[in-house]
Coordinates of all heavy atoms in Angstrom, one line a residue:
V605 N 0.9 -1.2 0.0 CA 0.0 0.0 0.0 C 0.9 1.2 0.0 O 1.7 1.4 0.9 CB -0.9 0.0 1.2 CG1 -1.8 1.3 1.3 CG2 -1.8 -1.2 1.3
P606 N 0.8 2.2 -1.0 CA 1.6 3.3 -1.1 C 1.3 4.3 0.1 O 0.2 4.3 0.6 CB 1.2 4.0 -2.4 CG 0.2 3.1 -3.0 CD -0.1 2.0 -2.1
K607 N 2.3 5.0 0.5 CA 2.2 5.9 1.6 C 1.3 7.2 1.1 O 1.6 7.7 0.0 CB 3.5 6.4 2.1 CG 3.5 7.3 3.2 CD 4.8 7.7 3.7 CE 4.6 8.6 5.0 NZ 5.7 9.3 5.4
F608 N 0.4 7.6 2.0 CA -0.4 8.8 1.6 C 0.3 10.1 1.9 O 1.0 10.2 2.9 CB -1.7 8.7 2.4 CG -2.6 9.9 2.2 CD1 -3.3 10.1 1.0 CD2 -2.7 11.0 3.2 CE1 -4.1 11.2 0.8 CE2 -3.5 12.1 3.0 CZ -4.2 12.2 1.8
E609 N 0.3 11.0 0.8 CA 0.9 12.3 1.0 C -0.2 13.3 0.8 O -0.8 13.4 -0.3 CB 2.0 12.5 0.0 CG 3.2 11.6 0.3 CD 4.3 11.8 -0.7 OE1 4.4 12.9 -1.3 OE2 5.2 10.9 -0.8
F610 N -0.5 14.1 1.8 CA -1.5 15.2 1.7 C -1.1 16.3 0.8 O 0.0 16.9 1.0 CB -1.8 15.7 3.1 CG -2.9 16.7 3.1 CD1 -4.2 16.4 2.9 CD2 -2.6 18.1 3.4 CE1 -5.2 17.3 3.0 CE2 -3.6 19.0 3.4 CZ -4.9 18.6 3.2
D611 N -2.0 16.7 -0.1 CA -1.7 17.9 -0.9 C -2.9 18.9 -0.7 O -4.0 18.6 -1.0 CB -1.7 17.5 -2.4 CG -1.4 18.7 -3.4 OD1 -1.1 19.8 -2.9 OD2 -1.6 18.5 -4.6
A612 N -2.5 20.0 -0.1 CA -3.6 21.0 0.2 C -4.2 21.6 -1.0 O -5.4 22.1 -0.9 CB -2.9 22.2 1.1
E613 N -3.7 21.5 -2.2 CA -4.3 22.0 -3.3 C -5.4 21.0 -4.0 O -6.2 21.6 -4.8 CB -3.2 22.2 -4.4 CG -2.1 23.2 -4.0 CD -2.7 24.6 -3.8 OE1 -3.5 25.0 -4.6 OE2 -2.3 25.3 -2.8
T614 N -5.3 19.8 -3.6 CA -6.3 18.8 -4.1 C -7.5 18.9 -3.3 O -7.6 18.8 -2.1 CB -5.7 17.4 -4.1 OG1 -4.4 17.4 -4.7 CG2 -6.6 16.4 -4.7
P615 N -8.7 18.9 -4.0 CA -10.0 18.9 -3.3 C -10.2 17.6 -2.5 O -9.7 16.5 -3.0 CB -11.0 19.0 -4.4 CG -10.4 19.4 -5.6 CD -8.9 19.1 -5.4
L616 N -10.8 17.7 -1.4 CA -11.0 16.5 -0.5 C -11.7 15.3 -1.3 O -11.3 14.2 -1.1 CB -11.8 16.9 0.7 CG -11.9 15.8 1.8 CD1 -10.5 15.4 2.3 CD2 -12.8 16.3 2.9
Q617 N -12.7 15.6 -2.1 CA -13.4 14.6 -2.8 C -12.6 13.9 -3.9 O -12.9 12.9 -4.4 CB -14.7 15.1 -3.3 CG -14.6 16.1 -4.4 CD -14.6 17.5 -3.8 OE1 -14.4 17.7 -2.7 NE2 -14.9 18.5 -4.7
A618 N -11.4 14.5 -4.2 CA -10.6 13.9 -5.3 C -9.4 13.2 -4.7 O -8.6 12.6 -5.4 CB -10.1 15.0 -6.2
M619 N -9.3 13.1 -3.4 CA -8.1 12.5 -2.7 C -8.4 11.0 -2.5 O -9.6 10.6 -2.3 CB -7.8 13.1 -1.4 CG -7.2 14.4 -1.4 SD -6.8 14.9 0.2 CE -6.3 16.6 0.0
L620 N -7.4 10.2 -2.7 CA -7.5 8.7 -2.5 C -6.5 8.3 -1.6 O -5.3 8.4 -1.8 CB -7.4 8.1 -3.9 CG -7.5 6.5 -3.8 CD1 -8.8 6.1 -3.3 CD2 -7.3 5.9 -5.2
V621 N -6.9 7.8 -0.5 CA -6.1 7.1 0.6 C -6.1 5.7 0.3 O -7.2 5.0 0.5 CB -6.5 7.4 2.0 CG1 -5.6 6.8 3.0 CG2 -6.6 8.9 2.2
H622 N -5.1 5.1 -0.2 CA -5.0 3.7 -0.6 C -5.1 2.8 0.6 O -4.4 3.0 1.6 CB -3.8 3.3 -1.4 CG -3.9 3.9 -2.8 ND1 -4.6 3.3 -3.8 CD2 -3.2 4.9 -3.4 CE1 -4.4 4.0 -4.9 NE2 -3.6 5.0 -4.7
T623 N -5.9 1.7 0.5 CA -6.0 0.8 1.5 C -5.8 -0.6 0.8 O -5.6 -0.6 -0.4 CB -7.4 0.7 2.2 OG1 -8.4 0.4 1.2 CG2 -7.7 2.1 2.8
S624 N -5.8 -1.7 1.6 CA -5.6 -3.0 0.9 C -6.8 -3.2 0.0 O -6.7 -3.9 -1.1 CB -5.6 -4.1 2.0 OG -6.7 -4.1 2.8
E625 N -8.0 -2.7 0.3 CA -9.2 -2.9 -0.5 C -9.1 -2.1 -1.9 O -9.4 -2.6 -2.9 CB -10.4 -2.5 0.3 CG -11.8 -2.8 -0.4 CD -12.0 -4.3 -0.4 OE1 -11.5 -5.1 0.4 OE2 -12.9 -4.7 -1.3
T626 N -8.6 -0.8 -1.8 CA -8.5 -0.1 -3.0 C -7.4 -0.6 -3.9 O -7.5 -0.6 -5.1 CB -8.2 1.4 -2.7 OG1 -7.0 1.5 -2.0 CG2 -9.3 2.1 -2.0
M627 N -6.3 -1.1 -3.3 CA -5.3 -1.8 -4.0 C -5.8 -3.0 -4.7 O -5.4 -3.4 -5.9 CB -4.0 -2.1 -3.2 CG -3.4 -0.9 -2.6 SD -2.9 0.4 -3.9 CE -1.7 -0.5 -4.8
R628 N -6.6 -3.8 -4.0 CA -7.2 -5.0 -4.6 C -8.1 -4.6 -5.9 O -7.9 -5.1 -6.9 CB -8.1 -5.7 -3.6 CG -8.5 -7.0 -4.0 CD -9.3 -7.8 -2.9 NE -8.5 -7.9 -1.7 CZ -8.8 -7.5 -0.5 NH1 -10.0 -6.9 -0.3 NH2 -8.1 -7.5 0.5
F629 N -8.9 -3.6 -5.8 CA -9.7 -3.0 -6.9 C -8.8 -2.6 -8.0 O -9.1 -2.9 -9.2 CB -10.6 -1.9 -6.4 CG -11.9 -2.4 -5.8 CD1 -12.2 -2.0 -4.5 CD2 -12.8 -3.2 -6.4 CE1 -13.4 -2.4 -3.9 CE2 -13.9 -3.6 -5.8 CZ -14.2 -3.3 -4.5
R630 N -7.8 -1.8 -7.7 CA -6.8 -1.3 -8.6 C -6.2 -2.5 -9.4 O -6.0 -2.4 -10.6 CB -5.8 -0.4 -8.0 CG -4.8 0.2 -8.9 CD -5.4 1.2 -9.9 NE -4.5 1.7 -10.8 CZ -3.8 2.8 -10.7 NH1 -4.2 3.6 -9.7 NH2 -3.0 3.2 -11.6
Y631 N -5.8 -3.5 -8.7 CA -5.2 -4.7 -9.4 C -6.2 -5.3 -10.4 O -5.8 -5.6 -11.6 CB -4.8 -5.8 -8.3 CG -4.5 -7.1 -9.0 CD1 -3.1 -7.3 -9.6 CD2 -5.3 -8.1 -9.0 CE1 -2.8 -8.5 -10.2 CE2 -5.0 -9.3 -9.6 CZ -3.7 -9.5 -10.1 OH -3.4 -10.6 -10.7
F632 N -7.4 -5.5 -10.1 CA -8.4 -6.0 -11.0 C -8.7 -5.1 -12.1 O -8.9 -5.5 -13.3 CB -9.7 -6.5 -10.3 CG -9.5 -7.8 -9.5 CD1 -9.5 -7.8 -8.2 CD2 -9.2 -8.9 -10.2 CE1 -9.4 -8.9 -7.4 CE2 -9.1 -10.1 -9.5 CZ -9.1 -10.1 -8.1
I633 N -8.7 -3.8 -11.9 CA -9.0 -2.8 -12.9 C -7.8 -2.9 -13.9 O -7.9 -2.9 -15.1 CB -9.1 -1.4 -12.4 CG1 -10.5 -1.3 -11.6 CG2 -9.0 -0.4 -13.5 CD1 -10.6 0.0 -10.8
D634 N -6.6 -2.9 -13.4 CA -5.4 -3.0 -14.3 C -5.4 -4.3 -15.1 O -5.1 -4.2 -16.3 CB -4.1 -3.0 -13.4 CG -3.8 -1.6 -12.8 OD1 -4.4 -0.6 -13.2 OD2 -3.0 -1.6 -11.8
L635 N -5.7 -5.3 -14.5 CA -5.8 -6.7 -15.1 C -6.9 -6.7 -16.2 O -6.6 -7.1 -17.4 CB -6.1 -7.8 -14.2 CG -5.9 -9.2 -14.6 CD1 -4.4 -9.5 -15.0 CD2 -6.4 -10.2 -13.5
L636 N -8.0 -6.1 -16.0 CA -9.1 -6.1 -17.0 C -8.7 -5.1 -18.2 O -8.9 -5.5 -19.3 CB -10.4 -5.6 -16.4 CG -11.1 -6.6 -15.5 CD1 -12.2 -5.9 -14.7 CD2 -11.7 -7.7 -16.3
M637 N -8.1 -4.0 -17.9 CA -7.6 -3.1 -18.9 C -6.5 -3.7 -19.8 O -6.5 -3.4 -20.9 CB -7.2 -1.8 -18.3 CG -8.5 -1.0 -17.8 SD -8.1 0.6 -17.2 CE -7.7 1.5 -18.7
E638 N -5.6 -4.4 -19.1 CA -4.5 -5.1 -19.8 C -5.0 -6.0 -21.0 O -4.5 -6.1 -22.0 CB -3.6 -5.8 -18.9 CG -2.5 -6.6 -19.5 CD -1.7 -7.4 -18.5 OE1 -1.7 -7.0 -17.3 OE2 -1.0 -8.3 -18.9
Y639 N -6.2 -6.7 -20.6 CA -6.8 -7.6 -21.5 C -7.9 -7.0 -22.4 O -8.7 -7.6 -23.0 CB -7.3 -8.9 -20.9 CG -6.2 -9.8 -20.4 CD1 -5.7 -9.7 -19.0 CD2 -5.5 -10.6 -21.3 CE1 -4.7 -10.6 -18.7 CE2 -4.5 -11.4 -20.8 CZ -4.0 -11.3 -19.6 OH -3.0 -12.2 -19.1
R640 N -7.9 -5.6 -22.3 CA -8.9 -4.8 -23.0 C -10.3 -5.3 -22.8 O -11.2 -5.4 -23.7 CB -8.6 -4.9 -24.6 CG -7.1 -4.3 -24.8 CD -6.8 -4.3 -26.3 NE -7.6 -3.5 -27.1 CZ -7.6 -2.2 -27.2 NH1 -6.7 -1.5 -26.5 NH2 -8.4 -1.6 -28.0
R641 N -10.7 -5.5 -21.6 CA -12.0 -5.8 -21.1 C -12.6 -4.6 -20.5 O -12.0 -3.8 -19.9 CB -11.9 -7.0 -20.1 CG -11.2 -8.2 -20.6 CD -11.8 -8.8 -21.9 NE -13.2 -9.2 -21.8 CZ -13.9 -9.5 -22.8 NH1 -13.5 -9.5 -24.0 NH2 -15.2 -9.8 -22.6
P642 N -14.0 -4.5 -20.6 CA -14.7 -3.4 -20.0 C -14.6 -3.4 -18.5 O -14.6 -4.5 -17.9 CB -16.1 -3.5 -20.5 CG -16.2 -4.9 -21.0 CD -14.9 -5.3 -21.3
V643 N -14.7 -2.3 -17.8 CA -14.7 -2.2 -16.3 C -15.9 -1.4 -15.9 O -16.1 -0.3 -16.4 CB -13.4 -1.5 -15.8 CG1 -13.4 -1.3 -14.4 CG2 -12.2 -2.2 -16.3
V644 N -16.7 -1.9 -15.0 CA -17.8 -1.3 -14.4 C -17.8 -1.4 -12.9 O -17.6 -2.6 -12.4 CB -19.2 -1.8 -15.0 CG1 -20.3 -1.1 -14.3 CG2 -19.3 -1.7 -16.4
L645 N -17.8 -0.3 -12.2 CA -17.8 -0.3 -10.7 C -19.2 0.0 -10.3 O -19.8 1.0 -10.7 CB -16.8 0.7 -10.1 CG -15.3 0.5 -10.5 CD1 -14.5 1.5 -9.8 CD2 -14.9 -0.9 -10.1
V646 N -19.7 -0.7 -9.4 CA -21.1 -0.6 -8.9 C -21.0 -0.5 -7.4 O -20.3 -1.2 -6.7 CB -22.0 -1.7 -9.3 CG1 -23.4 -1.6 -8.8 CG2 -22.0 -1.9 -10.8
G647 N -21.8 0.4 -6.9 CA -21.8 0.6 -5.4 C -22.7 1.8 -5.0 O -23.2 2.6 -5.8
N648 N -22.8 2.0 -3.7 CA -23.6 3.0 -3.1 C -22.9 4.4 -3.4 O -21.7 4.4 -3.6 CB -23.8 2.8 -1.6 CG -24.7 1.6 -1.3 OD1 -25.5 1.2 -2.1 ND2 -24.4 1.0 -0.2
A649 N -23.7 5.4 -3.3 CA -23.1 6.8 -3.4 C -22.1 7.1 -2.4 O -22.3 6.7 -1.2 CB -24.2 7.8 -3.4
G650 N -21.0 7.6 -2.8 CA -19.9 8.0 -1.8 C -19.0 6.9 -1.5 O -18.1 7.1 -0.5
C651 N -19.0 5.7 -2.1 CA -18.1 4.6 -1.7 C -16.8 4.7 -2.5 O -15.9 3.9 -2.1 CB -18.8 3.3 -2.0 SG -19.0 2.8 -3.7
G652 N -16.6 5.7 -3.4 CA -15.3 5.9 -4.0 C -15.1 5.4 -5.4 O -14.0 5.3 -5.9
K653 N -16.2 5.1 -6.1 CA -16.1 4.6 -7.5 C -15.4 5.6 -8.4 O -14.5 5.3 -9.1 CB -17.5 4.2 -8.0 CG -18.3 3.2 -7.2 CD -19.6 2.9 -7.8 CE -20.5 4.1 -7.7 NZ -21.0 4.6 -6.5
T654 N -15.9 6.8 -8.4 CA -15.4 7.8 -9.2 C -14.0 8.2 -8.9 O -13.1 8.3 -9.8 CB -16.3 9.2 -9.1 OG1 -17.6 8.8 -9.5 CG2 -15.8 10.2 -10.1
V655 N -13.6 8.3 -7.6 CA -12.2 8.6 -7.2 C -11.3 7.5 -7.7 O -10.2 7.8 -8.2 CB -12.1 8.9 -5.7 CG1 -10.7 9.1 -5.3 CG2 -12.9 10.1 -5.3
L656 N -11.7 6.3 -7.5 CA -10.9 5.1 -8.0 C -10.6 5.1 -9.4 O -9.5 4.9 -9.9 CB -11.5 3.8 -7.5 CG -10.6 2.6 -7.5 CD1 -9.5 2.7 -6.6 CD2 -11.5 1.4 -7.1
I657 N -11.7 5.3 -10.2 CA -11.5 5.4 -11.7 C -10.7 6.6 -12.1 O -9.8 6.5 -13.0 CB -12.9 5.3 -12.4 CG1 -13.6 4.0 -12.2 CG2 -12.8 5.7 -13.8 CD1 -12.8 2.8 -12.9
N658 N -10.9 7.7 -11.6 CA -10.2 8.9 -11.9 C -8.7 8.8 -11.6 O -7.8 9.2 -12.3 CB -10.7 10.2 -11.3 CG -12.0 10.6 -11.8 OD1 -12.3 10.3 -13.0 ND2 -12.8 11.5 -11.2
D659 N -8.4 8.1 -10.5 CA -7.0 7.8 -10.1 C -6.4 6.9 -11.2 O -5.2 7.2 -11.6 CB -6.9 7.1 -8.8 CG -5.5 6.8 -8.4 OD1 -4.7 7.7 -8.3 OD2 -5.2 5.6 -8.1
K660 N -7.1 5.9 -11.7 CA -6.6 5.1 -12.8 C -6.4 5.8 -14.0 O -5.4 5.7 -14.7 CB -7.5 3.8 -12.9 CG -7.1 3.0 -14.1 CD -5.8 2.4 -14.0 CE -5.4 1.6 -15.2 NZ -3.9 1.1 -15.1
L661 N -7.4 6.6 -14.4 CA -7.4 7.3 -15.7 C -6.2 8.4 -15.7 O -5.6 8.6 -16.7 CB -8.7 8.0 -15.9 CG -9.9 7.0 -16.2 CD1 -11.1 7.8 -16.4 CD2 -9.6 6.1 -17.4
S662 N -6.0 8.9 -14.5 CA -4.9 10.0 -14.5 C -3.5 9.4 -14.7 O -2.6 10.0 -15.0 CB -5.0 10.7 -13.2 OG -4.7 10.0 -12.1
S663 N -3.4 8.0 -14.4 CA -2.1 7.3 -14.5 C -1.9 6.8 -15.9 O -0.8 6.2 -16.2 CB -2.0 6.2 -13.5 OG -2.9 5.1 -13.9
L664 N -2.8 6.9 -16.8 CA -2.7 6.4 -18.2 C -1.7 7.2 -19.0 O -1.6 8.4 -18.7 CB -4.0 6.3 -18.9 CG -5.1 5.3 -18.4 CD1 -6.4 5.4 -19.1 CD2 -4.5 3.9 -18.4
D665 N -1.2 6.6 -20.1 CA -0.3 7.4 -21.0 C -1.0 8.5 -21.7 O -2.2 8.5 -21.8 CB 0.3 6.4 -22.0 CG 1.2 5.4 -21.4 OD1 1.8 5.6 -20.4 OD2 1.3 4.3 -22.1
E666 N -0.3 9.5 -22.2 CA -0.8 10.6 -22.8 C -1.5 10.2 -24.2 O -2.3 11.0 -24.7 CB 0.2 11.7 -23.0 CG 0.7 12.4 -21.8 CD -0.4 13.2 -21.2 OE1 -1.2 13.9 -21.9 OE2 -0.6 13.2 -19.9
D667 N -1.1 9.1 -24.7 CA -1.6 8.7 -26.0 C -3.0 8.0 -25.9 O -3.5 7.5 -26.9 CB -0.6 7.8 -26.8 CG -0.4 6.5 -26.1 OD1 -0.7 6.3 -24.9 OD2 0.1 5.6 -26.7
M668 N -3.5 8.0 -24.7 CA -4.9 7.4 -24.5 C -5.9 8.5 -24.5 O -5.7 9.5 -23.9 CB -4.9 6.6 -23.2 CG -4.0 5.5 -23.1 SD -4.4 4.1 -24.1 CE -5.8 3.4 -23.2
L669 N -7.0 8.3 -25.2 CA -8.1 9.3 -25.2 C -9.1 8.9 -24.1 O -9.6 7.7 -24.0 CB -8.9 9.2 -26.5 CG -10.1 10.1 -26.7 CD1 -9.7 11.5 -26.6 CD2 -10.8 9.8 -28.0
V670 N -9.3 9.8 -23.2 CA -10.2 9.6 -22.0 C -11.3 10.7 -22.1 O -11.1 11.9 -22.3 CB -9.5 9.7 -20.7 CG1 -10.4 9.6 -19.5 CG2 -8.3 8.7 -20.6
T671 N -12.5 10.2 -22.0 CA -13.7 11.2 -22.0 C -14.6 10.7 -20.8 O -14.7 9.6 -20.5 CB -14.4 11.2 -23.3 OG1 -15.4 12.2 -23.3 CG2 -15.1 9.9 -23.6
T672 N -15.3 11.7 -20.2 CA -16.2 11.4 -19.2 C -17.6 11.8 -19.6 O -17.9 12.8 -20.2 CB -15.9 12.4 -17.9 OG1 -14.5 12.1 -17.6 CG2 -16.8 12.1 -16.8
I673 N -18.5 10.7 -19.4 CA -19.9 10.9 -19.8 C -20.8 10.8 -18.5 O -20.9 9.6 -18.0 CB -20.3 9.9 -20.9 CG1 -19.5 10.0 -22.1 CG2 -21.8 10.1 -21.2 CD1 -19.6 8.9 -23.1
P674 N -21.3 11.8 -18.0 CA -22.2 11.7 -16.8 C -23.5 11.0 -17.2 O -24.1 11.3 -18.1 CB -22.4 13.1 -16.3 CG -22.1 14.0 -17.6 CD -21.2 13.2 -18.4
L675 N -23.9 10.1 -16.4 CA -25.1 9.3 -16.5 C -26.1 9.5 -15.4 O -25.6 9.6 -14.2 CB -24.9 7.9 -16.7 CG -24.0 7.4 -17.8 CD1 -23.7 5.9 -17.8 CD2 -24.6 7.8 -19.2
N676 N -27.3 9.7 -15.6 CA -28.3 9.8 -14.6 C -29.7 9.2 -15.0 O -29.7 8.7 -16.1 CB -28.4 11.2 -14.0 CG -28.8 12.2 -15.1 OD1 -29.6 11.9 -16.0 ND2 -28.3 13.4 -15.1
Y677 N -30.6 9.4 -14.3 CA -32.0 8.9 -14.6 C -32.5 9.4 -15.9 O -33.2 8.8 -16.6 CB -32.9 9.3 -13.5 CG -34.3 8.8 -13.7 CD1 -34.7 7.5 -13.5 CD2 -35.3 9.7 -14.1 CE1 -36.0 7.1 -13.7 CE2 -36.6 9.3 -14.3 CZ -37.0 8.0 -14.1 OH -38.3 7.6 -14.3
Y678 N -32.1 10.7 -16.3 CA -32.7 11.3 -17.5 C -31.8 11.1 -18.7 O -32.2 11.6 -19.8 CB -32.8 12.8 -17.2 CG -33.7 13.1 -16.0 CD1 -33.1 13.5 -14.8 CD2 -35.1 13.0 -16.1 CE1 -34.0 13.8 -13.7 CE2 -35.9 13.2 -15.0 CZ -35.3 13.6 -13.9 OH -36.1 13.9 -12.8
T679 N -30.7 10.4 -18.6 CA -29.9 10.1 -19.7 C -30.6 9.1 -20.7 O -31.0 8.0 -20.3 CB -28.5 9.5 -19.3 OG1 -27.9 10.4 -18.4 CG2 -27.6 9.3 -20.5
T680 N -30.7 9.5 -22.0 CA -31.3 8.6 -23.0 C -30.2 7.8 -23.7 O -29.0 8.3 -23.7 CB -32.1 9.4 -23.9 OG1 -31.3 10.3 -24.7 CG2 -33.3 10.2 -23.2
A681 N -30.6 6.9 -24.5 CA -29.6 6.1 -25.3 C -29.0 7.1 -26.3 O -27.7 6.9 -26.6 CB -30.3 5.0 -26.0
L682 N -29.8 7.9 -26.9 CA -29.2 8.9 -27.9 C -28.2 9.8 -27.3 O -27.1 10.0 -27.9 CB -30.3 9.7 -28.5 CG -29.9 10.7 -29.6 CD1 -29.2 10.0 -30.7 CD2 -31.1 11.5 -30.0
M683 N -28.5 10.3 -26.0 CA -27.5 11.2 -25.4 C -26.2 10.4 -25.1 O -25.1 11.0 -25.2 CB -28.1 11.7 -24.0 CG -29.3 12.6 -24.3 SD -30.2 13.0 -22.8 CE -29.1 13.8 -21.7
L684 N -26.3 9.2 -24.7 CA -25.1 8.4 -24.5 C -24.3 8.2 -25.7 O -23.1 8.3 -25.7 CB -25.5 7.0 -23.8 CG -24.4 6.0 -23.6 CD1 -23.3 6.6 -22.6 CD2 -24.9 4.7 -23.0
Q685 N -25.0 7.8 -26.8 CA -24.3 7.6 -28.0 C -23.6 8.9 -28.5 O -22.4 8.8 -29.0 CB -25.3 7.1 -29.1 CG -24.7 6.9 -30.4 CD -25.6 6.3 -31.5 OE1 -26.8 5.9 -31.2 NE2 -25.2 6.2 -32.7
E686 N -24.3 10.0 -28.4 CA -23.6 11.3 -28.9 C -22.4 11.6 -28.0 O -21.5 12.1 -28.5 CB -24.7 12.4 -28.8 CG -25.7 12.3 -29.9 CD -26.9 13.3 -29.7 OE1 -27.0 13.9 -28.6 OE2 -27.7 13.4 -30.7
G687 N -22.6 11.3 -26.7 CA -21.4 11.6 -25.8 C -20.2 10.7 -26.1 O -19.1 11.1 -26.0
M688 N -20.5 9.5 -26.5 CA -19.4 8.6 -26.9 C -18.8 8.9 -28.2 O -17.6 8.7 -28.5 CB -19.9 7.1 -26.9 CG -20.3 6.7 -25.5 SD -21.1 5.0 -25.5 CE -19.8 4.0 -25.9
E689 N -19.6 9.4 -29.2 CA -19.1 9.7 -30.5 C -18.4 11.1 -30.6 O -17.6 11.3 -31.5 CB -20.3 9.6 -31.5 CG -20.8 8.2 -31.8 CD -22.0 8.2 -32.7 OE1 -22.5 9.3 -33.0 OE2 -22.4 7.1 -33.1
K690 N -18.7 11.9 -29.7 CA -18.3 13.3 -29.8 C -16.7 13.5 -29.9 O -16.3 14.2 -30.8 CB -18.8 14.1 -28.6 CG -18.5 15.6 -28.6 CD -19.1 16.3 -27.4 CE -18.9 17.8 -27.5 NZ -19.5 18.5 -26.4
P691 N -15.9 12.8 -29.1 CA -14.5 12.9 -29.2 C -13.9 12.2 -30.3 O -12.7 12.3 -30.6 CB -14.0 12.4 -27.9 CG -15.0 11.4 -27.4 CD -16.3 12.0 -28.0
L692 N -14.6 11.4 -31.2 CA -14.1 10.5 -32.2 C -14.1 11.3 -33.5 O -14.8 12.2 -33.7 CB -14.9 9.3 -32.3 CG -15.0 8.4 -31.0 CD1 -15.8 7.2 -31.3 CD2 -13.6 8.0 -30.6
E693 N -13.3 10.8 -34.4 CA -13.3 11.3 -35.8 C -13.5 10.2 -36.8 O -13.2 9.0 -36.5 CB -12.0 12.0 -36.1 CG -10.8 11.2 -36.1 CD -9.5 12.0 -36.5 OE1 -9.5 13.3 -36.2 OE2 -8.5 11.4 -36.9
K694 N -14.1 10.5 -37.9 CA -14.4 9.5 -38.9 C -13.1 9.0 -39.6 O -12.3 9.9 -40.0 CB -15.4 10.0 -39.9 CG -16.0 9.0 -40.8 CD -17.1 9.5 -41.7 CE -17.7 8.3 -42.4 NZ -19.0 8.6 -42.9
K695 N -12.9 7.7 -39.6 CA -11.7 7.2 -40.2 C -11.8 6.8 -41.7 O -11.3 7.4 -42.6 CB -11.1 6.0 -39.5 CG -10.8 6.4 -38.0 CD -9.5 7.2 -38.0 CE -9.1 7.4 -36.5 NZ -7.9 8.2 -36.4
A696 N -12.7 5.8 -41.9 CA -12.9 5.3 -43.3 C -14.3 4.6 -43.2 O -14.6 3.8 -42.4 CB -11.8 4.3 -43.7
G697 N -15.1 5.0 -44.2 CA -16.4 4.4 -44.3 C -17.3 4.6 -43.1 O -17.5 5.8 -42.8
R698 N -17.7 3.5 -42.4 CA -18.4 3.8 -41.2 C -17.6 3.6 -39.9 O -18.1 3.3 -38.8 CB -19.6 2.7 -41.1 CG -20.6 3.0 -42.2 CD -21.8 2.1 -42.2 NE -21.6 0.8 -41.5 CZ -22.4 -0.2 -41.5 NH1 -23.3 -0.2 -42.4 NH2 -22.1 -1.3 -40.9
N699 N -16.2 3.6 -40.0 CA -15.3 3.4 -38.9 C -15.0 4.8 -38.2 O -14.7 5.7 -39.0 CB -14.1 2.7 -39.4 CG -14.3 1.3 -39.9 OD1 -15.2 0.6 -39.4 ND2 -13.4 0.9 -40.8
Y700 N -15.0 4.8 -36.9 CA -14.7 6.0 -36.1 C -13.5 5.5 -35.2 O -13.4 4.4 -34.8 CB -15.9 6.5 -35.4 CG -16.9 7.1 -36.2 CD1 -17.8 6.3 -36.8 CD2 -17.0 8.5 -36.4 CE1 -18.8 6.9 -37.7 CE2 -17.9 9.1 -37.2 CZ -18.9 8.3 -37.8 OH -19.8 8.9 -38.6
G701 N -12.7 6.5 -34.8 CA -11.7 6.2 -33.9 C -11.2 7.5 -33.2 O -11.6 8.6 -33.6
P702 N -10.3 7.4 -32.2 CA -9.7 8.6 -31.6 C -8.9 9.4 -32.6 O -8.3 8.9 -33.6 CB -8.9 8.0 -30.5 CG -8.6 6.7 -30.8 CD -9.7 6.2 -31.7
P703 N -8.8 10.7 -32.4 CA -8.1 11.6 -33.3 C -6.6 11.3 -33.2 O -6.1 11.0 -32.2 CB -8.4 13.0 -32.8 CG -8.9 12.9 -31.4 CD -9.5 11.5 -31.2
G704 N -5.9 11.5 -34.4 CA -4.5 11.3 -34.5 C -4.0 9.9 -34.1 O -4.5 8.9 -34.6
T705 N -3.0 9.9 -33.3 CA -2.4 8.6 -32.9 C -2.8 8.1 -31.5 O -2.3 7.2 -30.9 CB -0.8 8.8 -32.8 OG1 -0.5 9.8 -31.9 CG2 -0.3 9.2 -34.1
K706 N -3.9 8.8 -31.0 CA -4.4 8.3 -29.6 C -5.0 7.0 -29.7 O -5.5 6.6 -30.8 CB -5.3 9.4 -29.0 CG -4.7 10.7 -28.7 CD -5.6 11.4 -27.8 CE -4.9 12.8 -27.4 NZ -4.3 12.6 -26.2
K707 N -5.0 6.2 -28.6 CA -5.6 4.9 -28.5 C -7.0 5.0 -27.9 O -7.3 5.8 -27.1 CB -4.8 4.0 -27.7 CG -3.5 3.7 -28.3 CD -2.7 2.8 -27.4 CE -1.3 2.6 -27.9 NZ -0.4 1.8 -27.0

């Protein structure tokens, strides 16, 4: 478990104090992403899902395209599709992908 270092500039809700449980989740997230499998975290409000995922996303290489799509009760399938397509560019025919050399 890495040692926690307090940064006064970071908002409290964005801080992550690693525990054996968060390291276990991080291990499985890393493993799933290594094999290019989807990752979904489910839990009660305030249990740290967003902070855990943001911590992982911030550690990715710069050549990775990351986008955030907020979902709630009022999100429709069309809104989700548009949010997923927005950062992509048309490659060839009906194929879309991240801009430039991003993955």
